[in-house]
mmCIF file of all heavy atoms in Angstrom:
data_model
loop_
_atom_site.group_PDB
_atom_site.id
_atom_site.type_symbol
_atom_site.label_atom_id
_atom_site.label_comp_id
_atom_site.label_asym_id
_atom_site.label_seq_id
_atom_site.Cartn_x
_atom_site.Cartn_y
_atom_site.Cartn_z
ATOM 1 N N MET A 1018 0.026 -28.832 -60.498
ATOM 2 C CA MET A 1018 -0.696 -28.633 -59.283
ATOM 3 C C MET A 1018 0.252 -28.979 -58.107
ATOM 4 O O MET A 1018 0.074 -28.357 -57.071
ATOM 5 C CB MET A 1018 -1.932 -29.621 -59.325
ATOM 6 C CG MET A 1018 -2.802 -29.436 -58.206
ATOM 7 S SD MET A 1018 -3.534 -27.742 -58.276
ATOM 8 C CE MET A 1018 -5.142 -28.118 -57.817
ATOM 9 N N ARG A 1019 1.176 -29.912 -58.274
ATOM 10 C CA ARG A 1019 2.059 -30.321 -57.169
ATOM 11 C C ARG A 1019 2.979 -29.176 -56.872
ATOM 12 O O ARG A 1019 3.460 -29.096 -55.748
ATOM 13 C CB ARG A 1019 2.838 -31.542 -57.623
ATOM 14 C CG ARG A 1019 2.136 -32.790 -57.493
ATOM 15 C CD ARG A 1019 3.081 -33.958 -57.863
ATOM 16 N NE ARG A 1019 2.234 -35.119 -57.556
ATOM 17 C CZ ARG A 1019 2.798 -36.182 -56.868
ATOM 18 N NH1 ARG A 1019 4.049 -36.049 -56.419
ATOM 19 N NH2 ARG A 1019 2.076 -37.220 -56.600
ATOM 20 N N ARG A 1020 3.340 -28.332 -57.797
ATOM 21 C CA ARG A 1020 4.237 -27.202 -57.522
ATOM 22 C C ARG A 1020 3.529 -26.190 -56.676
ATOM 23 O O ARG A 1020 4.203 -25.454 -55.925
ATOM 24 C CB ARG A 1020 4.648 -26.519 -58.788
ATOM 25 C CG ARG A 1020 5.609 -27.344 -59.543
ATOM 26 C CD ARG A 1020 6.172 -26.488 -60.675
ATOM 27 N NE ARG A 1020 6.227 -27.341 -61.954
ATOM 28 C CZ ARG A 1020 6.419 -26.864 -63.146
ATOM 29 N NH1 ARG A 1020 6.595 -25.562 -63.251
ATOM 30 N NH2 ARG A 1020 6.543 -27.690 -64.093
ATOM 31 N N LEU A 1021 2.235 -26.073 -56.536
ATOM 32 C CA LEU A 1021 1.486 -25.098 -55.729
ATOM 33 C C LEU A 1021 1.246 -25.475 -54.371
ATOM 34 O O LEU A 1021 0.955 -24.698 -53.563
ATOM 35 C CB LEU A 1021 0.230 -24.745 -56.470
ATOM 36 C CG LEU A 1021 0.361 -24.101 -57.876
ATOM 37 C CD1 LEU A 1021 -1.093 -23.968 -58.460
ATOM 38 C CD2 LEU A 1021 1.019 -22.813 -57.788
ATOM 39 N N ILE A 1022 1.372 -26.818 -54.006
ATOM 40 C CA ILE A 1022 1.119 -27.258 -52.656
ATOM 41 C C ILE A 1022 2.101 -26.758 -51.700
ATOM 42 O O ILE A 1022 1.711 -26.248 -50.610
ATOM 43 C CB ILE A 1022 1.079 -28.823 -52.661
ATOM 44 C CG1 ILE A 1022 -0.152 -29.290 -53.479
ATOM 45 C CG2 ILE A 1022 1.027 -29.372 -51.228
ATOM 46 C CD1 ILE A 1022 -0.179 -30.828 -53.581
ATOM 47 N N THR A 1023 3.402 -26.807 -51.938
ATOM 48 C CA THR A 1023 4.443 -26.360 -51.005
ATOM 49 C C THR A 1023 4.362 -24.804 -50.778
ATOM 50 O O THR A 1023 4.350 -24.382 -49.640
ATOM 51 C CB THR A 1023 5.814 -26.716 -51.521
ATOM 52 O OG1 THR A 1023 5.870 -28.108 -51.700
ATOM 53 C CG2 THR A 1023 6.919 -26.236 -50.480
ATOM 54 N N PRO A 1024 4.204 -24.046 -51.776
ATOM 55 C CA PRO A 1024 4.027 -22.559 -51.491
ATOM 56 C C PRO A 1024 2.752 -22.208 -50.839
ATOM 57 O O PRO A 1024 2.658 -21.348 -49.992
ATOM 58 C CB PRO A 1024 4.081 -21.896 -52.949
ATOM 59 C CG PRO A 1024 4.768 -22.918 -53.804
ATOM 60 C CD PRO A 1024 4.491 -24.244 -53.285
ATOM 61 N N ALA A 1025 1.669 -23.036 -51.145
ATOM 62 C CA ALA A 1025 0.385 -22.649 -50.457
ATOM 63 C C ALA A 1025 0.482 -22.993 -48.984
ATOM 64 O O ALA A 1025 -0.004 -22.256 -48.083
ATOM 65 C CB ALA A 1025 -0.723 -23.568 -51.116
ATOM 66 N N ILE A 1026 1.142 -24.132 -48.659
ATOM 67 C CA ILE A 1026 1.313 -24.462 -47.175
ATOM 68 C C ILE A 1026 2.214 -23.427 -46.571
ATOM 69 O O ILE A 1026 1.965 -22.974 -45.429
ATOM 70 C CB ILE A 1026 1.992 -25.854 -47.110
ATOM 71 C CG1 ILE A 1026 0.960 -26.904 -47.523
ATOM 72 C CG2 ILE A 1026 2.440 -26.120 -45.655
ATOM 73 C CD1 ILE A 1026 1.453 -28.322 -47.612
ATOM 74 N N ALA A 1027 3.330 -22.999 -47.221
ATOM 75 C CA ALA A 1027 4.183 -21.974 -46.657
ATOM 76 C C ALA A 1027 3.367 -20.660 -46.432
ATOM 77 O O ALA A 1027 3.641 -20.006 -45.412
ATOM 78 C CB ALA A 1027 5.380 -21.760 -47.505
ATOM 79 N N ILE A 1028 2.577 -20.343 -47.325
ATOM 80 C CA ILE A 1028 1.886 -19.021 -47.258
ATOM 81 C C ILE A 1028 0.834 -19.189 -46.100
ATOM 82 O O ILE A 1028 0.654 -18.174 -45.348
ATOM 83 C CB ILE A 1028 1.243 -18.641 -48.528
ATOM 84 C CG1 ILE A 1028 2.199 -18.166 -49.592
ATOM 85 C CG2 ILE A 1028 0.086 -17.574 -48.408
ATOM 86 C CD1 ILE A 1028 1.615 -17.995 -51.003
ATOM 87 N N ALA A 1029 0.234 -20.351 -45.944
ATOM 88 C CA ALA A 1029 -0.710 -20.582 -44.849
ATOM 89 C C ALA A 1029 -0.021 -20.446 -43.482
ATOM 90 O O ALA A 1029 -0.470 -19.806 -42.559
ATOM 91 C CB ALA A 1029 -1.413 -21.881 -44.995
ATOM 92 N N VAL A 1030 1.176 -21.037 -43.400
ATOM 93 C CA VAL A 1030 1.889 -21.016 -42.188
ATOM 94 C C VAL A 1030 2.317 -19.569 -41.909
ATOM 95 O O VAL A 1030 2.210 -19.151 -40.716
ATOM 96 C CB VAL A 1030 3.144 -22.003 -42.185
ATOM 97 C CG1 VAL A 1030 4.100 -21.679 -41.037
ATOM 98 C CG2 VAL A 1030 2.654 -23.390 -42.183
ATOM 99 N N LEU A 1031 2.840 -18.815 -42.844
ATOM 100 C CA LEU A 1031 3.241 -17.468 -42.651
ATOM 101 C C LEU A 1031 2.028 -16.550 -42.277
ATOM 102 O O LEU A 1031 2.157 -15.776 -41.388
ATOM 103 C CB LEU A 1031 3.866 -16.919 -43.870
ATOM 104 C CG LEU A 1031 5.307 -17.376 -44.184
ATOM 105 C CD1 LEU A 1031 5.774 -16.906 -45.462
ATOM 106 C CD2 LEU A 1031 6.156 -17.018 -43.028
ATOM 107 N N ALA A 1032 0.885 -16.901 -42.864
ATOM 108 C CA ALA A 1032 -0.345 -16.099 -42.515
ATOM 109 C C ALA A 1032 -0.705 -16.336 -41.065
ATOM 110 O O ALA A 1032 -1.116 -15.447 -40.349
ATOM 111 C CB ALA A 1032 -1.414 -16.394 -43.464
ATOM 112 N N TYR A 1033 -0.682 -17.610 -40.682
ATOM 113 C CA TYR A 1033 -0.958 -18.023 -39.293
ATOM 114 C C TYR A 1033 -0.132 -17.301 -38.380
ATOM 115 O O TYR A 1033 -0.586 -16.660 -37.345
ATOM 116 C CB TYR A 1033 -0.880 -19.595 -39.103
ATOM 117 C CG TYR A 1033 -1.087 -19.942 -37.720
ATOM 118 C CD1 TYR A 1033 -2.452 -20.217 -37.168
ATOM 119 C CD2 TYR A 1033 0.027 -20.334 -36.957
ATOM 120 C CE1 TYR A 1033 -2.515 -20.641 -35.903
ATOM 121 C CE2 TYR A 1033 -0.219 -20.775 -35.634
ATOM 122 C CZ TYR A 1033 -1.496 -20.860 -35.156
ATOM 123 O OH TYR A 1033 -1.644 -21.298 -33.860
ATOM 124 N N PHE A 1034 1.148 -17.431 -38.537
ATOM 125 C CA PHE A 1034 2.092 -16.717 -37.579
ATOM 126 C C PHE A 1034 1.999 -15.248 -37.618
ATOM 127 O O PHE A 1034 2.184 -14.606 -36.596
ATOM 128 C CB PHE A 1034 3.551 -17.192 -37.784
ATOM 129 C CG PHE A 1034 3.719 -18.640 -37.268
ATOM 130 C CD1 PHE A 1034 4.054 -19.711 -38.110
ATOM 131 C CD2 PHE A 1034 3.631 -18.935 -35.927
ATOM 132 C CE1 PHE A 1034 4.285 -20.954 -37.598
ATOM 133 C CE2 PHE A 1034 3.902 -20.150 -35.402
ATOM 134 C CZ PHE A 1034 4.138 -21.219 -36.286
ATOM 135 N N GLY A 1035 1.745 -14.720 -38.812
ATOM 136 C CA GLY A 1035 1.675 -13.231 -38.985
ATOM 137 C C GLY A 1035 0.414 -12.775 -38.299
ATOM 138 O O GLY A 1035 0.473 -11.703 -37.594
ATOM 139 N N PHE A 1036 -0.620 -13.491 -38.352
ATOM 140 C CA PHE A 1036 -1.945 -13.101 -37.629
ATOM 141 C C PHE A 1036 -1.682 -13.044 -36.204
ATOM 142 O O PHE A 1036 -2.051 -12.110 -35.465
ATOM 143 C CB PHE A 1036 -2.991 -14.104 -37.994
ATOM 144 C CG PHE A 1036 -4.269 -13.803 -37.223
ATOM 145 C CD1 PHE A 1036 -5.087 -12.771 -37.550
ATOM 146 C CD2 PHE A 1036 -4.616 -14.579 -36.163
ATOM 147 C CE1 PHE A 1036 -6.246 -12.486 -36.865
ATOM 148 C CE2 PHE A 1036 -5.720 -14.319 -35.385
ATOM 149 C CZ PHE A 1036 -6.579 -13.305 -35.791
ATOM 150 N N HIS A 1037 -1.061 -14.081 -35.612
ATOM 151 C CA HIS A 1037 -0.794 -14.180 -34.225
ATOM 152 C C HIS A 1037 0.331 -13.183 -33.775
ATOM 153 O O HIS A 1037 0.261 -12.773 -32.497
ATOM 154 C CB HIS A 1037 -0.506 -15.612 -33.733
ATOM 155 C CG HIS A 1037 -1.729 -16.430 -33.811
ATOM 156 N ND1 HIS A 1037 -2.683 -16.364 -32.895
ATOM 157 C CD2 HIS A 1037 -2.138 -17.418 -34.621
ATOM 158 C CE1 HIS A 1037 -3.656 -17.287 -33.133
ATOM 159 N NE2 HIS A 1037 -3.260 -17.941 -34.206
#
Side-chain angles (χ1 to χ4, degrees):
M1018 189 64 141
R1019 286 183 168 228
R1020 287 190 221 169
L1021 296 177
I1022 291 175
T1023 304
I1026 291 173
I1028 289 174
V1030 168
L1031 285 174
Y1033 173 80
F1034 286 115
F1036 174 80
H1037 286 288

